[in-house]
Amino acid sequence: MFREYAQYDGLGLADLIRQKEVSPSEVLEAALERASALNPELNAIVHTFAERARRMAEDVSGEGLFSGVPFLFKDLMDDFAGEPMSMGSLAVKRIPDRHSELVRRYMDTGLIPFGKTSTPEFGLTITTEPKAFGPVHNPWKRGYSTGGSSGGSAAVVAAGIVPMASANDGGGSIRFPAACCGVFGFKPSRGLTPVGPEFGEPWEGAVTGHVITRSVRDSAAMLDAVSGPEVGAAYRVARLERSCLKACAEDPRPLRIAFSSRPMISTAVHPEALKGLESTVRLLQNMGHKVEEAAPSIDRNRFWKDFMVVVCAHTAALCHKVRQWGGPEAVRRLEPATRNMAAMGKSLSSLDFVLAKEGWHGVQLAMGRFLETWDVFLTPTLIGPPAAHGEIPPSPMEEKLLVAGSWLPGGAFLLKSGLAKPFAAPTLNRMAFTICGNMTGLPGMSLPLHETAEGLPLGMLFTGRMGEDATLFALAGQVERARPWLHNRPPLAAFSGKP
């Protein structure tokens, strides 16, 4: 048995396989053994196809960048032909007949997938506690959230089940769970990674797919491998001019870094987030970067409403598809919060939608102008420590009100007047730093740079200029060398194999 499996990142495992020090089958069995031992505690893997993976491992050519490396797909957007896709919902069970384009590119690197990771229903909330599968436990402390919506992926990476797992980010869903689980999460620039053919412009371009990893170099290497133009895409992008993998191995020039603790939604920031930000500022200054307090000028009252208008409209469209797939009974199986968001989206006018998109453009312009002066913008990823289970999802009484509200007219008024905010606040407020990256399409990354007094991770968020993903990777590599985290192991990852 390959007991040293969890000590390696993806590139490290691929190199061992390439040098024939270990076989792809041995590596896969080590991953499957860890999954079998740890997932009952984590509840992060919702579907497996181990025998299919074993057949793939026997046929590894060794030519791909990650040939023979075990992998897990998020159960949302990443269609893997022949395996069910539930999207975190009791109402959906699709079996795609072809890979999505991003999955195809993942597979071209030689990965060996063996299952799917949990996500909240349709990826709509910032904690992974779906009714369909139950809550995912944070590897650092059972009973606490892994974040969302890629919470299952972040948990399996933090626990060392796989060195990387697929993820997607529409409001913070790569960066947020990475911050909760103490791993590295990078959201690429808009359009850099494919979303088709099932999707053209999910959430008006807010959604981007990539991977959650332990090491910076795995994320960089994967982005180099999968980025580039896609047939039928809304955005025509070329591959990055500079290799992200090469960038993360070299220290960047001294950067101009602005930092701020002021969230873009009116909410309080926990002292632990402020403590982590202060520590990160000192670290960056000691590295020779120019770090000063500054922030873009953004209308915080309009910011959250414009985001919610677009997301609710897209949720309404998705629920319309659910009705087409499974009829009214499928819609009734949707979670109350999903049905309520769909009802609000359905009540919106085309004018509401266009005005909201104009608001998005205002944020894009503000950030673009701000980053003419600064190379990078630093904030906490989270407004506070990971939440306990049950803290973010609606209570039973709130769910009854949401169900009732989904049958009533006036959803658009609730959104525009701000009356909907109290129901959305547990999720929305926690996304106060991450949403900006989705509205603007700017690249961003969460680095595991702070640990709370209770021993829970709390990441720091770095946002860069459009298309300058390599600059962020250069900074990430430098920070990782200064304050390594690769071998940090959470309590629920304590497993070394059978004696």
Side-chain angles (χ1 to χ4, degrees):
M1 183 57 65
F2 180 33
R3 292 195 180 94
E4 298 81 14
Y5 165 76
Q7 297 175 16
Y8 292 89
D9 66 356
L11 287 172
L13 289 172
D15 189 56
L16 290 177
I17 292 168
R18 199 171 294 113
Q19 300 299 323
K20 301 188 183 303
E21 295 184 30
V22 66
S23 73
S25 293
E26 288 175 302
V27 174
L28 175 63
E29 291 304 324
L32 291 172
E33 186 182 25
R34 286 190 71 85
S36 177
L38 299 178
N39 195 56
E41 286 290 301
L42 297 172
N43 193 36
I45 303 171
V46 297
H47 173 66
T48 57
F49 39 92
E51 290 308 314
R52 182 175 180 179
R54 289 186 173 110
R55 292 192 296 271
M56 285 187 281
E58 291 172 357
D59 195 34
V60 170
S61 67
E63 296 176 0
L65 183 67
F66 291 106
S67 283
V69 175
F71 191 70
L72 288 163
F73 291 118
K74 180 180 176 180
D75 190 30
L76 183 70
M77 291 187 68
D78 290 341
D79 285 352
F80 189 64
E83 302 298 337
M85 166 80 75
S86 71
M87 306 170 75
S89 177
L90 291 167
V92 177
K93 191 171 183 179
R94 296 173 49 242
I95 301 181
D97 58 5
R98 61 180 174 180
H99 297 339
S100 65
E101 177 61 18
L102 185 53
V103 165
R104 185 190 67 76
R105 295 186 190 187
Y106 288 147
M107 297 301 292
D108 284 348
T109 70
L111 293 167
I112 307 295
F114 64 88
K116 297 274 190 95
T117 63
S118 188
T119 181
E121 188 168 69
F122 302 162
L124 289 175
T125 187
I126 212 72
T127 186
T128 306
E129 303 177 49
K131 292 184 182 298
F133 300 107
V136 179
H137 292 272
N138 194 309
W140 294 90
K141 190 171 185 180
R142 185 173 171 81
Y144 279 75
S145 175
T146 57
S149 63
S150 307
S153 289
V156 295
V157 171
I161 293 174
V162 287
M164 66 177 86
S166 82
N168 31 65
D169 191 315
S173 294
I174 288 175
R175 297 155 294 155
F176 199 98
C180 286
C181 294
V183 290
F184 180 70
F186 191 95
K187 184 196 83 67
S189 292
R190 179 173 294 164
L192 199 57
T193 57
V195 294
E198 182 70 22
F199 300 93
E201 200 175 2
W203 286 13
E204 300 302 295
V207 179
T208 301
H210 190 40
V211 289
I212 289 176
T213 62
R214 289 201 304 274
S215 72
V216 171
R217 69 174 190 164
D218 275 357
S219 182
M222 184 61 82
L223 187 57
D224 283 347
V226 303
S227 64
E230 174 188 14
V231 174
Y235 315 100
R236 185 70 178 176
V237 298
R239 294 187 182 277
L240 292 171
E241 294 180 2
R242 184 184 179 197
S243 162
C244 292
L245 182 58
K246 289 180 180 178
C248 73
E250 303 168 356
D251 285 353
R253 59 175 171 77
L255 299 172
R256 297 167 296 172
I257 301 175
F259 76 92
S260 177
S261 61
R262 187 174 189 262
M264 296 185 189
I265 296 172
S266 297
T267 188
V269 178
H270 194 280
E272 285 283 7
L274 300 177
K275 184 178 177 181
L277 181 61
E278 292 166 2
S279 172
T280 302
V281 167
R282 288 194 300 271
L283 175 65
L284 295 169
Q285 288 172 336
N286 290 337
M287 288 177 169
H289 299 293
K290 177 184 177 182
V291 189
E292 297 181 7
E293 189 167 7
S297 178
I298 290 173
D299 182 344
R300 296 200 297 174
N301 187 50
R302 182 173 181 180
F303 179 81
W304 74 268
K305 293 178 187 176
D306 289 339
F307 181 75
M308 284 292 292
V309 165
V310 171
V311 173
C312 286
H314 277 265
T315 303
L318 183 51
C319 290
H320 177 75
K321 285 185 180 179
V322 169
R323 183 179 291 274
Q324 290 179 322
W325 294 334
E329 180 56 33
V331 175
R332 284 192 286 271
R333 289 197 294 270
L334 293 171
E335 296 187 18
T338 302
R339 289 164 58 183
N340 188 264
M341 287 181 69
M344 286 194 287
K346 193 174 181 180
S347 72
L348 294 165
S349 69
S350 55
L351 176 61
D352 295 327
F353 193 85
V354 170
L355 291 176
K357 281 306 301 292
E358 287 183 356
W360 283 38
H361 175 65
V363 177
Q364 291 165 352
L365 186 59
M367 283 300 297
R369 288 173 172 167
F370 181 72
L371 291 172
E372 287 181 329
T373 300
W374 303 97
D375 297 307
V376 176
F377 183 42
L378 166 67
T379 67
T381 310
L382 315 174
I383 62 166
H389 284 159
E391 189 175 313
I392 297 175
S395 68
M397 177 57 70
E398 288 170 334
E399 286 194 340
K400 290 179 181 179
L401 292 172
L402 290 170
V403 170
S406 68
W407 293 101
L408 297 173
F413 170 76
L414 292 175
L415 263 181
K416 288 183 284 186
S417 67
L419 293 175
K421 191 177 181 185
F423 287 101
T427 288
L428 199 61
N429 288 354
R430 291 176 180 273
M431 299 160 67
F433 290 115
T434 58
I435 290 175
C436 182
N438 303 95
M439 293 175 74
T440 61
L442 297 172
M445 60 185 185
S446 180
L447 275 61
L449 293 177
H450 185 62
E451 184 178 296
T452 71
E454 292 188 352
L456 288 167
L458 201 165
M460 293 294 121
L461 177 63
F462 297 78
T463 301
R465 297 190 186 111
M466 183 70 79
E468 295 190 12
D469 300 55
T471 298
L472 288 181
F473 273 112
L475 178 60
Q478 183 187 35
V479 172
E480 185 184 36
R481 288 186 291 275
R483 193 179 289 181
W485 60 75
L486 181 61
H487 297 293
N488 293 347
R489 285 290 179 268
L492 293 191
F495 171 75
S496 58
K498 297 176 182 176

Coordinates of all heavy atoms in Angstrom, one line a residue, residues 217-291:
R217 N 1.3 25.3 -7.3 CA 1.7 24.9 -8.6 C 0.7 23.9 -9.3 O 0.6 24.0 -10.5 CB 3.1 24.2 -8.5 CG 3.1 22.9 -7.8 CD 4.5 22.2 -7.9 NE 4.5 20.9 -7.4 CZ 5.5 20.0 -7.6 NH1 6.6 20.4 -8.3 NH2 5.4 18.7 -7.2
D218 N 0.0 23.1 -8.5 CA -1.0 22.3 -9.2 C -2.1 23.1 -9.8 O -2.6 22.8 -10.9 CB -1.7 21.4 -8.1 CG -0.9 20.1 -7.9 OD1 0.1 19.9 -8.5 OD2 -1.4 19.3 -7.0
S219 N -2.6 24.2 -9.1 CA -3.6 25.0 -9.7 C -3.1 25.8 -10.9 O -3.7 25.9 -12.0 CB -4.0 26.1 -8.6 OG -5.0 26.9 -9.1
A220 N -1.8 26.2 -10.9 CA -1.2 26.9 -12.0 C -1.0 26.0 -13.2 O -1.4 26.4 -14.3 CB 0.2 27.5 -11.5
A221 N -0.5 24.8 -13.0 CA -0.3 23.9 -14.0 C -1.7 23.5 -14.7 O -1.7 23.4 -16.0 CB 0.4 22.6 -13.5
M222 N -2.7 23.3 -13.9 CA -4.0 23.0 -14.5 C -4.6 24.1 -15.3 O -5.1 23.9 -16.4 CB -5.0 22.6 -13.4 CG -6.3 22.1 -13.9 SD -6.2 20.6 -15.0 CE -6.1 19.3 -13.7
L223 N -4.4 25.4 -14.8 CA -4.9 26.5 -15.6 C -4.2 26.6 -16.9 O -4.8 26.9 -18.0 CB -4.8 27.8 -14.8 CG -5.5 29.0 -15.4 CD1 -7.0 28.7 -15.7 CD2 -5.3 30.2 -14.6
D224 N -2.9 26.4 -16.9 CA -2.1 26.4 -18.2 C -2.7 25.3 -19.1 O -2.8 25.6 -20.4 CB -0.6 26.1 -17.9 CG 0.2 27.2 -17.4 OD1 -0.3 28.4 -17.4 OD2 1.3 27.0 -16.9
A225 N -3.1 24.2 -18.6 CA -3.5 23.1 -19.4 C -4.9 23.2 -20.0 O -5.2 22.8 -21.1 CB -3.5 21.8 -18.6
V226 N -5.8 23.8 -19.2 CA -7.2 23.8 -19.6 C -7.7 25.2 -20.2 O -8.8 25.2 -20.8 CB -8.2 23.4 -18.5 CG1 -7.8 22.0 -18.0 CG2 -8.2 24.4 -17.4
S227 N -7.0 26.2 -20.1 CA -7.4 27.5 -20.5 C -7.4 27.7 -22.0 O -6.6 26.9 -22.7 CB -6.6 28.7 -19.9 OG -5.3 28.6 -20.3
G228 N -8.1 28.6 -22.6 CA -8.1 28.8 -24.0 C -9.4 28.9 -24.6 O -10.5 28.6 -24.0
P229 N -9.5 29.2 -25.9 CA -10.8 29.4 -26.6 C -11.7 28.2 -26.6 O -11.2 27.0 -26.5 CB -10.4 29.7 -28.0 CG -8.9 30.1 -28.0 CD -8.4 29.4 -26.8
E230 N -13.0 28.4 -26.7 CA -14.0 27.4 -26.7 C -15.0 27.7 -27.8 O -15.4 28.8 -28.0 CB -14.7 27.3 -25.4 CG -15.9 26.3 -25.3 CD -16.7 26.4 -24.0 OE1 -16.5 27.4 -23.3 OE2 -17.5 25.6 -23.8
V231 N -15.3 26.7 -28.6 CA -16.3 26.9 -29.7 C -17.6 27.3 -29.1 O -18.2 26.7 -28.2 CB -16.5 25.5 -30.5 CG1 -17.6 25.7 -31.5 CG2 -15.2 25.2 -31.2
G232 N -18.2 28.4 -29.6 CA -19.5 28.8 -29.2 C -19.5 29.6 -27.9 O -20.6 30.0 -27.4
A233 N -18.3 30.0 -27.4 CA -18.2 30.7 -26.1 C -18.7 32.1 -26.3 O -18.5 32.7 -27.4 CB -16.8 30.6 -25.6
A234 N -19.2 32.7 -25.2 CA -19.6 34.1 -25.2 C -18.4 35.0 -25.3 O -18.5 36.2 -25.7 CB -20.4 34.4 -24.0
Y235 N -17.2 34.5 -24.9 CA -16.0 35.3 -24.8 C -14.9 34.6 -25.6 O -14.7 33.4 -25.4 CB -15.5 35.6 -23.4 CG -16.6 36.0 -22.5 CD1 -17.2 35.1 -21.6 CD2 -17.1 37.3 -22.4 CE1 -18.2 35.4 -20.8 CE2 -18.2 37.6 -21.6 CZ -18.7 36.7 -20.8 OH -19.7 37.0 -19.9
R236 N -14.2 35.3 -26.5 CA -13.2 34.7 -27.2 C -11.8 35.1 -26.6 O -11.3 36.2 -26.8 CB -13.2 35.2 -28.7 CG -12.2 34.5 -29.6 CD -12.5 33.0 -29.8 NE -11.6 32.3 -30.7 CZ -11.7 31.1 -31.0 NH1 -12.6 30.3 -30.5 NH2 -10.8 30.5 -31.9
V237 N -11.2 34.2 -25.8 CA -10.0 34.5 -25.2 C -8.9 33.6 -25.7 O -9.1 32.4 -26.1 CB -10.1 34.3 -23.6 CG1 -11.1 35.2 -23.1 CG2 -10.5 32.9 -23.3
A238 N -7.7 34.1 -25.7 CA -6.5 33.3 -26.1 C -5.9 32.7 -24.8 O -6.3 33.0 -23.7 CB -5.5 34.2 -26.8
R239 N -5.0 31.8 -25.0 CA -4.3 31.3 -23.8 C -3.5 32.4 -23.2 O -3.1 33.4 -23.9 CB -3.4 30.1 -24.2 CG -4.1 28.9 -24.7 CD -3.2 27.7 -24.9 NE -3.9 26.6 -25.4 CZ -4.6 25.7 -24.6 NH1 -4.6 25.9 -23.3 NH2 -5.2 24.7 -25.1
L240 N -3.2 32.3 -22.0 CA -2.4 33.4 -21.3 C -1.0 33.5 -21.9 O -0.4 32.5 -22.3 CB -2.3 33.1 -19.8 CG -3.6 33.1 -19.0 CD1 -3.3 32.6 -17.6 CD2 -4.1 34.6 -18.9
E241 N -0.5 34.7 -22.1 CA 0.8 35.0 -22.7 C 1.9 34.4 -21.8 O 2.9 34.0 -22.3 CB 1.0 36.5 -22.9 CG 0.0 37.1 -23.9 CD 0.3 38.6 -24.1 OE1 1.3 39.1 -23.4 OE2 -0.4 39.2 -24.8
R242 N 1.7 34.3 -20.5 CA 2.7 33.9 -19.6 C 2.2 32.6 -18.9 O 1.1 32.6 -18.4 CB 3.0 35.0 -18.6 CG 4.1 34.7 -17.6 CD 4.2 35.8 -16.6 NE 5.2 35.6 -15.6 CZ 5.3 36.3 -14.5 NH1 4.4 37.2 -14.2 NH2 6.3 36.0 -13.6
S243 N 3.0 31.6 -18.8 CA 2.7 30.4 -18.1 C 2.5 30.6 -16.6 O 3.4 31.2 -16.0 CB 3.8 29.3 -18.3 OG 3.7 28.3 -17.3
C244 N 1.4 30.2 -16.1 CA 1.1 30.4 -14.7 C 2.1 29.5 -13.8 O 2.5 29.9 -12.7 CB -0.3 30.1 -14.4 SG -1.5 31.3 -15.0
L245 N 2.4 28.3 -14.4 CA 3.3 27.4 -13.7 C 4.7 28.0 -13.5 O 5.3 27.9 -12.5 CB 3.3 26.0 -14.4 CG 4.2 25.0 -13.7 CD1 3.8 24.7 -12.3 CD2 4.2 23.7 -14.5
K246 N 5.1 28.6 -14.6 CA 6.5 29.2 -14.6 C 6.4 30.4 -13.6 O 7.4 30.7 -12.9 CB 6.9 29.6 -15.9 CG 7.3 28.5 -16.8 CD 7.7 28.9 -18.2 CE 8.1 27.8 -19.1 NZ 8.5 28.2 -20.5
A247 N 5.3 31.2 -13.7 CA 5.2 32.4 -12.9 C 5.3 32.0 -11.4 O 5.9 32.8 -10.6 CB 3.9 33.1 -13.2
C248 N 4.6 30.9 -10.9 CA 4.5 30.7 -9.5 C 5.9 30.2 -9.0 O 6.1 30.1 -7.7 CB 3.4 29.7 -9.2 SG 3.7 28.0 -9.6
A249 N 6.8 29.9 -9.8 CA 8.2 29.5 -9.4 C 9.1 30.6 -9.3 O 10.3 30.5 -8.8 CB 8.7 28.4 -10.4
E250 N 8.7 31.8 -9.7 CA 9.5 33.0 -9.6 C 8.9 34.1 -8.8 O 7.7 34.3 -8.9 CB 9.7 33.5 -11.1 CG 10.3 32.5 -12.0 CD 10.2 33.0 -13.5 OE1 9.6 34.1 -13.7 OE2 10.7 32.2 -14.4
D251 N 9.7 34.8 -8.0 CA 9.2 35.9 -7.2 C 8.8 37.0 -8.1 O 9.5 37.3 -9.1 CB 10.3 36.4 -6.2 CG 10.5 35.5 -5.0 OD1 9.7 34.5 -4.9 OD2 11.5 35.7 -4.3
P252 N 7.6 37.6 -7.9 CA 7.2 38.8 -8.7 C 8.1 40.0 -8.3 O 8.8 40.0 -7.3 CB 5.8 39.0 -8.3 CG 5.7 38.6 -6.8 CD 6.7 37.4 -6.8
R253 N 8.0 41.0 -9.2 CA 8.6 42.3 -8.9 C 7.8 42.8 -7.7 O 6.7 42.4 -7.4 CB 8.5 43.2 -10.1 CG 7.0 43.5 -10.5 CD 6.9 44.5 -11.6 NE 5.5 44.5 -12.1 CZ 4.5 45.1 -11.5 NH1 4.6 45.7 -10.3 NH2 3.3 45.1 -12.1
P254 N 8.4 43.8 -7.0 CA 7.6 44.4 -5.9 C 6.3 45.0 -6.4 O 6.2 45.8 -7.4 CB 8.5 45.6 -5.4 CG 9.9 45.1 -5.7 CD 9.8 44.4 -7.0
L255 N 5.2 44.6 -5.8 CA 3.8 44.9 -6.3 C 3.2 46.0 -5.4 O 3.6 46.2 -4.3 CB 2.9 43.7 -6.2 CG 3.3 42.5 -7.1 CD1 2.5 41.3 -6.8 CD2 3.3 42.8 -8.6
R256 N 2.3 46.8 -6.1 CA 1.5 47.8 -5.4 C 0.2 47.1 -5.0 O -0.6 46.8 -5.8 CB 1.3 49.0 -6.3 CG 2.5 49.8 -6.7 CD 2.2 50.7 -7.8 NE 1.8 50.0 -9.0 CZ 1.3 50.5 -10.1 NH1 1.2 51.8 -10.2 NH2 1.0 49.8 -11.2
I257 N 0.1 46.9 -3.7 CA -1.1 46.1 -3.2 C -1.9 47.0 -2.2 O -1.4 47.5 -1.2 CB -0.6 44.9 -2.4 CG1 0.3 44.0 -3.3 CG2 -1.8 44.1 -1.8 CD1 0.9 42.8 -2.6
A258 N -3.2 47.2 -2.6 CA -4.1 47.9 -1.8 C -4.8 46.9 -0.9 O -5.1 45.8 -1.3 CB -5.1 48.6 -2.6
F259 N -5.1 47.3 0.4 CA -5.8 46.4 1.2 C -7.0 47.1 1.9 O -6.9 48.4 2.1 CB -5.0 45.7 2.3 CG -4.6 46.7 3.4 CD1 -5.3 46.7 4.6 CD2 -3.4 47.5 3.4 CE1 -5.0 47.6 5.7 CE2 -3.1 48.3 4.4 CZ -3.8 48.4 5.5
S260 N -8.0 46.4 2.2 CA -9.2 47.0 2.8 C -9.9 45.9 3.7 O -10.0 44.8 3.3 CB -10.2 47.5 1.8 OG -11.3 48.1 2.4
S261 N -10.5 46.4 4.8 CA -11.3 45.5 5.6 C -12.8 45.9 5.5 O -13.6 45.4 6.2 CB -10.9 45.7 7.1 OG -11.0 47.0 7.6
R262 N -13.1 46.8 4.6 CA -14.5 47.3 4.4 C -15.2 46.4 3.4 O -14.9 46.4 2.2 CB -14.5 48.7 3.9 CG -15.9 49.4 3.9 CD -15.8 50.8 3.5 NE -17.1 51.5 3.7 CZ -17.9 51.8 2.6 NH1 -17.6 51.4 1.4 NH2 -19.1 52.4 2.9
P263 N -16.2 45.6 3.9 CA -16.9 44.8 3.0 C -17.8 45.5 2.0 O -18.2 46.7 2.2 CB -17.8 43.9 3.9 CG -18.0 44.8 5.1 CD -16.7 45.6 5.2
M264 N -18.1 44.9 0.9 CA -18.9 45.6 -0.2 C -20.4 45.4 0.0 O -21.2 45.9 -0.8 CB -18.5 45.1 -1.6 CG -17.0 45.5 -1.9 SD -16.5 45.1 -3.5 CE -14.8 45.4 -3.4
I265 N -20.8 44.7 1.1 CA -22.1 44.7 1.6 C -22.1 45.1 3.0 O -21.2 44.7 3.8 CB -22.7 43.3 1.4 CG1 -22.8 42.8 0.0 CG2 -24.1 43.2 2.1 CD1 -23.2 41.4 -0.3
S266 N -23.1 45.9 3.4 CA -23.0 46.4 4.8 C -23.2 45.3 5.8 O -24.3 44.8 6.1 CB -24.1 47.5 5.0 OG -23.9 48.6 4.1
T267 N -22.1 44.9 6.5 CA -22.2 43.9 7.5 C -20.9 44.0 8.3 O -19.9 44.7 8.0 CB -22.2 42.5 6.8 OG1 -22.4 41.5 7.8 CG2 -20.9 42.2 6.1
A268 N -20.9 43.4 9.5 CA -19.8 43.4 10.4 C -18.7 42.4 10.0 O -19.0 41.4 9.5 CB -20.3 43.2 11.8
V269 N -17.5 42.8 10.3 CA -16.4 41.9 10.0 C -15.8 41.4 11.4 O -15.5 42.2 12.2 CB -15.3 42.6 9.2 CG1 -14.1 41.7 9.0 CG2 -15.8 43.1 7.8
H270 N -15.6 40.1 11.5 CA -15.2 39.5 12.7 C -13.7 39.9 13.0 O -12.9 40.0 12.1 CB -15.3 38.0 12.6 CG -15.2 37.2 13.9 ND1 -14.0 36.9 14.5 CD2 -16.1 36.7 14.7 CE1 -14.2 36.3 15.6 NE2 -15.5 36.1 15.7
P271 N -13.4 40.1 14.3 CA -12.0 40.4 14.7 C -11.0 39.4 14.2 O -9.8 39.8 13.9 CB -12.0 40.4 16.2 CG -13.5 40.7 16.6 CD -14.3 40.1 15.5
E272 N -11.3 38.1 14.0 CA -10.4 37.2 13.5 C -10.0 37.5 12.0 O -8.9 37.3 11.6 CB -10.9 35.7 13.6 CG -10.9 35.2 15.0 CD -9.5 34.7 15.5 OE1 -8.6 34.9 14.7 OE2 -9.5 34.1 16.5
A273 N -11.0 37.9 11.3 CA -10.7 38.3 9.9 C -9.8 39.5 9.8 O -8.9 39.6 9.0 CB -12.0 38.6 9.1
L274 N -10.0 40.5 10.7 CA -9.2 41.7 10.8 C -7.7 41.3 11.2 O -6.8 41.8 10.7 CB -9.8 42.7 11.7 CG -11.2 43.2 11.4 CD1 -11.7 44.1 12.5 CD2 -11.2 43.9 10.0
K275 N -7.7 40.4 12.2 CA -6.4 39.9 12.6 C -5.6 39.2 11.5 O -4.4 39.5 11.3 CB -6.6 38.9 13.8 CG -5.3 38.5 14.5 CD -5.6 37.5 15.6 CE -4.3 37.0 16.3 NZ -4.6 36.0 17.4
G276 N -6.3 38.4 10.7 CA -5.6 37.7 9.6 C -5.2 38.7 8.5 O -4.1 38.6 7.9
L277 N -6.0 39.7 8.3 CA -5.6 40.8 7.3 C -4.4 41.5 7.8 O -3.5 41.8 7.0 CB -6.8 41.7 7.1 CG -6.6 42.8 6.1 CD1 -6.3 42.3 4.7 CD2 -7.8 43.8 6.1
E278 N -4.3 41.9 9.0 CA -3.2 42.7 9.5 C -1.9 41.8 9.4 O -0.8 42.3 9.0 CB -3.4 43.0 11.0 CG -4.5 44.1 11.2 CD -5.0 44.2 12.6 OE1 -4.4 43.5 13.5 OE2 -5.9 45.0 12.9
S279 N -2.0 40.6 9.7 CA -0.8 39.7 9.6 C -0.4 39.5 8.2 O 0.8 39.5 7.9 CB -1.2 38.3 10.2 OG -0.2 37.4 10.0
T280 N -1.3 39.4 7.3 CA -1.0 39.3 5.9 C -0.3 40.6 5.3 O 0.6 40.5 4.5 CB -2.2 39.0 5.0 OG1 -2.8 37.7 5.6 CG2 -1.9 38.7 3.6
V281 N -0.8 41.7 5.7 CA -0.2 43.0 5.3 C 1.3 43.0 5.8 O 2.1 43.4 5.0 CB -1.0 44.2 5.9 CG1 -0.2 45.5 5.7 CG2 -2.4 44.3 5.2
R282 N 1.5 42.6 7.0 CA 2.9 42.7 7.5 C 3.8 41.7 6.7 O 4.9 42.0 6.4 CB 2.9 42.3 9.0 CG 2.4 43.4 9.9 CD 2.7 43.1 11.4 NE 2.2 41.8 11.8 CZ 1.0 41.7 12.4 NH1 0.2 42.7 12.5 NH2 0.6 40.5 12.8
L283 N 3.3 40.5 6.4 CA 4.0 39.5 5.6 C 4.4 40.1 4.3 O 5.6 40.0 3.8 CB 3.2 38.3 5.5 CG 3.7 37.2 4.6 CD1 5.0 36.6 5.2 CD2 2.7 36.1 4.3
L284 N 3.4 40.7 3.6 CA 3.7 41.2 2.2 C 4.7 42.4 2.3 O 5.5 42.6 1.4 CB 2.4 41.7 1.6 CG 1.3 40.6 1.3 CD1 0.0 41.2 1.0 CD2 1.8 39.7 0.2
Q285 N 4.6 43.2 3.3 CA 5.5 44.3 3.4 C 6.9 43.8 3.7 O 7.9 44.4 3.1 CB 5.0 45.3 4.6 CG 3.8 46.1 4.3 CD 3.3 46.8 5.4 OE1 3.5 46.5 6.6 NE2 2.5 47.9 5.2
N286 N 7.0 42.8 4.5 CA 8.4 42.2 4.7 C 8.9 41.6 3.5 O 10.2 41.4 3.4 CB 8.3 41.2 5.8 CG 8.0 41.8 7.2 OD1 8.3 43.0 7.4 ND2 7.4 41.0 8.1
M287 N 8.1 41.2 2.5 CA 8.6 40.7 1.3 C 9.0 41.8 0.3 O 9.5 41.5 -0.8 CB 7.4 39.9 0.6 CG 7.1 38.6 1.3 SD 5.8 37.8 0.4 CE 5.8 36.1 1.2
G288 N 8.8 43.0 0.6 CA 9.2 44.1 -0.2 C 8.1 44.7 -1.0 O 8.4 45.6 -1.9
H289 N 6.8 44.3 -0.8 CA 5.8 44.9 -1.6 C 5.3 46.2 -1.0 O 5.4 46.4 0.3 CB 4.6 43.9 -1.7 CG 5.0 42.6 -2.4 ND1 5.3 42.6 -3.7 CD2 5.1 41.4 -1.9 CE1 5.6 41.3 -4.1 NE2 5.5 40.6 -3.0
K290 N 4.8 47.1 -1.8 CA 4.2 48.4 -1.3 C 2.7 48.1 -1.0 O 1.9 47.8 -1.8 CB 4.3 49.4 -2.4 CG 3.6 50.8 -1.9 CD 3.7 51.8 -3.1 CE 2.9 53.1 -2.7 NZ 2.9 54.1 -3.8
V291 N 2.4 48.1 0.3 CA 1.0 47.7 0.8 C 0.4 48.9 1.5 O 0.9 49.3 2.6 CB 1.1 46.5 1.6 CG1 -0.4 46.0 1.9 CG2 1.9 45.4 1.0

